[in-house]
Amino acid sequence: MRNLILSMSASVLLAGCGQQYSVAVDGMASQTVSDIACKNQQLEEKLYDGLKSYLIEQKNIPSATELKSAFKTQVEKLAQDNPRMTAEQQSRIQSNLDQLVDSLLEEAPQGERVETSEQLLGLLSAIDVGDRSTTFRSYMQDRVRSNFNQLATTVKAMDLECPPTGDSTQSTEGGSATTPVEPTTPQIEANPDYDYHKKQAVAAGVPLAVFGERWALATAYQSCNSLEIPALNDSVADIKGIAITGKHSDGVGNKRVIASLSQVQATHPYLKEVSSYGSACFNVRQNPLIYDYGGKPYATTSSTSPIDLFKNGGDGTSVLGIDCSGYVYTSMATAGLRLKEGRALKASDSWAWGSTSYVEPQSNGLTCLSKITVTPSMSLKAGDIVAVPGHVIIIDRVGADPFGISTAQTVSDCSKITSDVFDFTVAQSSPSKEGVGINHSIAKDYLPTSEKMKAGLQKYAYYACLAKFNAKNYTPSLGTLSVVRHKGTSACTDKRVVLARESCIQSCSSSAFTQ
C-alpha cells in the first residue's frame, strides 16, 4: 500500500510539472503566432524571450516536439480565424516554424553539446544578439536568420486578421492561460541617489563605464568602503578558505566552493574589515561573492528586471559570484550603456556576450564598441574594455603615462616595454588571490598572472610608443586581444538597469565614485 501511495504521489507530481511546462510552451506558441497574425515585428523578441523565460524559470530544456505541437495547434486556430488562408499557406507557416524550432532547440544545442538549461540560455542569448565568436555560432547566426526571413516572407504574402487586443491572453477551455506566465521579477530597490552620484561623477570627468563598474562593485559588497580599499597588488595575501573541487565541463574553468567561511571572512580583502550591514543590505560576510567561472547574475526577461548579484543564476557552481563577462555587462548596463546600437538594455542580456565577443566587437553584435586608436598624445583611457578569449576587464584608472612610454628613449626601445612599467588599474571579476571575484587590481601586479593579457597589452604599448615617435595613429588589430571603447552616442545609451539591493549603498559619498 505504501509503495502504491508513493507511486501515485510521484505520478501527481510529474503530472503537475508536465502541466506547468505545457502551459509555458503553449504560451510561447500563442504569443508567436499572434505576432504572425498582427505582423508587428515583435515575433523574434517574443520567441527568444519566451524560450529564455522558460529556461530561467523551469530550469529545464523545452522539448522541440512539444513546441512544434503547440505551434501546430495555434496555426490551426490562426487558419480558423482567417478563412481565406489556404491549406498550402497553413502548411508553409507550420513548416517555417518547425524549421525554426529545429534550429534553436535541436541543431544549436547539439552543435555546442549543451547539457544544461543554463548553457542553452547562454547560447540562445548569444544567437539573439548576433554573436559570431566561433565558426559554429557564425553558422547558426546565418541559419536562424534565414529561418526568420523565410517565415517573414511567407507571412508577408498573406492577408491575416490581427486578433483583438487581449484575445491571445484569454484562457483555454480547460482554464489554463495560453500566454507565458510573466517571470517572477525580484523587487526593484533603486537607489534614490543614483542620478546625483552619476551627475557628480560625470562632472568630475569619470567615464560612465567607470562609474558603472564602481557602482556594481560597491553594490556587490554592499559597502561604500569597498571603493576605498586600495587596488589589489602583490603585497595582498591570497584568500584562504576557498577550495577547488574540479573542472567545468569545458575542461578549462575551475569549480570553486567555500570550504571555510570563517577563513574567507578573515582573509577576503573586501570582507575582512566589514563587521555589520544595514537592514536593507544583503549580508555578504555570511554569503560571500567569490569568483564563479561561468556564473551569471540572476535576472528575468522582463524589461523591468534588475540584475541580482545575490541570487545564483548559473551556469557556474552553487556559490554566489559571477564571471568576468557577467561583471562587465553589469557595469555597462547599470550605467545605461548599450552594447548593441538600438537594442534596449535588459538584465537578462548578461548571458549574451562572453569575453571572446569583445575581441572583435563589431563582428559579434557589440556595435557600440570600437577598437581604440593610439595617437601621439593618447592611448589607454579609463573606461576602456580589454578582452582576450577567456577574460575581459574594464580599465578603472590610468596614470599620466599608462603604458610607460616615457621609458623608451628611441623608437627601437618601443619593443622593450614590459608590463612592469604600466600605470593603470583594472576592474574585473577574476580568480586572482585564489578566487577573490569582483575586484580592482594594479595592472603591473595582476598581468603576470594572465599571460594572454600581458602579451597583448605589451603589444598595444608598442604601438602607442610607435605613435609617439613616428607621429602617426595606429589601430592595433591583434586577433588575440583588443582594447575597445564605448561610442557614447545616443543610439548606444538607454535607460539603465537597476541592481538589486543597490539601495544599501545609499549613504555613499559621491567622492567614492569620483576619486
Side-chain angles (χ1 to χ4, degrees):
M1 176 62 72
R2 180 174 180 273
N3 289 338
L4 177 60
I5 293 174
L6 288 175
S7 177
M8 292 174 64
S9 299
S11 298
V12 170
L13 180 61
L14 288 173
C17 291
Q19 184 178 14
Q20 180 183 17
Y21 296 153
S22 180
V23 168
V25 169
D26 288 346
M28 261 190 284
S30 174
Q31 283 289 301
T32 302
V33 176
S34 176
D35 287 342
I36 287 175
C38 296
K39 302 181 182 180
N40 59 9
Q41 307 303 310
Q42 292 184 318
L43 185 150
E44 290 188 38
E45 181 181 358
K46 292 288 182 65
L47 181 56
Y48 274 122
D49 278 357
L51 287 169
K52 285 186 253 184
S53 294
Y54 186 102
L55 294 165
I56 291 170
E57 298 301 315
Q58 308 298 337
K59 300 295 182 184
N60 181 54
I61 296 177
S63 162
T65 300
E66 186 177 3
L67 183 53
K68 287 180 184 179
S69 177
F71 273 137
K72 186 174 186 296
T73 298
Q74 294 301 321
V75 171
E76 288 173 349
K77 182 177 183 298
L78 179 66
Q80 292 172 3
D81 295 338
N82 291 270
R84 293 186 299 275
M85 180 185 290
T86 67
E88 181 183 356
Q89 290 175 324
Q90 179 180 342
S91 176
R92 192 176 306 140
I93 289 179
Q94 184 66 52
S95 177
N96 291 161
L97 288 170
D98 286 350
Q99 290 171 5
L100 190 54
V101 172
D102 285 338
S103 294
L104 294 173
L105 294 184
E106 292 192 344
E107 188 171 9
Q110 288 172 6
E112 287 209 355
R113 300 184 181 182
V114 164
E115 297 178 354
T116 67
S117 58
E118 290 88 356
Q119 289 173 347
L120 183 55
L121 175 60
L123 176 57
L124 294 184
S125 297
I127 295 173
D128 180 16
V129 300
D131 178 28
R132 292 179 177 270
S133 57
T134 68
T135 300
F136 179 72
R137 290 190 176 188
S138 182
Y139 161 75
M140 286 308 306
Q141 283 292 330
D142 295 336
R143 178 76 165 174
V144 174
R145 173 51 44 212
S146 176
N147 293 152
F148 276 120
N149 288 344
Q150 184 59 58
L151 179 59
T153 299
T154 298
V155 173
K156 185 178 180 180
M158 299 182 185
D159 180 18
L160 301 175
E161 292 290 334
C162 179
T165 302
D167 180 71
S168 63
T169 64
Q170 299 299 312
S171 298
T172 63
E173 293 181 2
S176 298
T178 59
T179 52
V181 177
E182 177 70 9
T184 302
T185 302
Q187 182 179 359
I188 296 179
E189 305 167 17
N191 188 320
D193 293 333
Y194 173 90
D195 289 333
Y196 173 77
H197 289 311
K198 177 181 176 180
K199 183 178 179 181
Q200 295 299 306
V202 171
V206 175
L208 283 179
V210 172
F211 175 73
E213 54 91 352
R214 292 177 182 175
W215 188 264
L217 185 146
T219 300
Y221 292 113
Q222 298 283 274
S223 169
C224 304
N225 294 335
S226 60
L227 293 174
E228 299 174 1
I229 294 173
L232 305 184
N233 58 27
D234 282 343
S235 67
V236 176
D238 289 345
I239 299 172
K240 298 185 184 300
I242 296 176
I244 294 175
T245 60
K247 292 282 188 182
H248 282 270
S249 58
D250 64 2
V252 178
N254 289 321
K255 292 183 177 180
R256 290 176 173 81
V257 298
I258 295 176
S260 171
L261 177 60
S262 61
Q263 286 188 323
V264 173
Q265 292 172 333
T267 59
H268 195 295
Y270 292 95
L271 299 181
K272 63 182 181 181
E273 304 299 333
V274 182
S275 57
S276 62
Y277 298 89
S279 58
C281 301
F282 182 85
N283 192 325
V284 184
R285 276 185 62 83
Q286 290 301 118
N287 301 275
L289 276 66
I290 64 173
Y291 180 71
D292 193 21
Y293 179 88
K296 304 298 179 185
Y298 180 82
T300 73
T301 57
S302 167
S303 60
T304 60
S305 173
I307 289 176
D308 193 343
L309 299 168
F310 310 106
K311 182 176 180 180
N312 197 320
D315 180 42
T317 61
S318 60
V319 299
L320 288 179
I322 58 176
D323 66 5
C324 58
S325 59
Y327 179 58
V328 168
Y329 181 77
T330 296
S331 301
M332 304 298 279
T334 200
L337 297 174
R338 290 173 171 166
L339 296 183
K340 184 172 185 175
E341 290 178 320
R343 184 179 178 86
L345 284 171
K346 294 180 69 173
S348 57
D349 271 357
S350 62
W351 289 91
W353 288 286
S355 59
T356 304
S357 301
Y358 292 84
V359 179
E360 297 294 339
Q362 296 292 316
S363 300
N364 294 306
L366 295 102
T367 54
C368 289
L369 302 177
S370 297
K371 294 181 181 180
I372 70 167
T373 295
V374 293
T375 73
S377 61
M378 184 181 69
S379 57
L380 195 67
K381 294 175 63 176
D384 287 347
I385 295 173
V386 183
V388 295
H391 196 43
V392 59
I393 63 178
I394 298 176
I395 303 302
D396 177 62
R397 294 180 177 88
V398 296
D401 185 13
F403 281 134
I405 304 303
S406 62
T407 61
Q409 302 302 310
T410 66
V411 68
S412 63
D413 292 332
C414 291
S415 61
K416 301 174 185 177
I417 296 175
T418 56
S419 64
D420 59 342
V421 297
F422 287 178
D423 183 17
F424 58 91
T425 62
V426 304
Q428 61 182 341
S429 182
S430 71
S432 306
K433 306 299 178 183
E434 297 301 322
V436 63
I438 296 172
N439 70 89
H440 285 160
S441 291
I442 300 293
K444 66 179 181 180
D445 290 341
Y446 159 70
L447 289 173
T449 69
S450 178
E451 189 58 39
K452 289 188 292 185
M453 279 275 181
K454 176 182 174 182
L457 284 171
Q458 286 179 166
K459 290 179 181 178
Y460 264 82
Y462 169 75
Y463 281 107
C465 183
L466 287 184
K468 172 187 174 182
F469 282 102
N470 295 337
K472 292 183 179 180
N473 297 344
Y474 297 93
T475 304
S477 186
L478 309 181
T480 55
L481 175 144
S482 290
V483 181
V484 299
R485 187 169 295 155
H486 194 270
K487 292 179 179 179
T489 60
S490 59
C492 290
T493 56
D494 193 14
K495 180 181 178 181
R496 79 178 187 104
V497 176
V498 172
L499 305 186
R501 295 187 181 269
E502 64 177 33
S503 59
C504 180
I505 58 171
Q506 185 172 340
S507 62
C508 288
S509 166
S510 287
S511 63
F513 303 103
T514 60
Q515 59 185 346

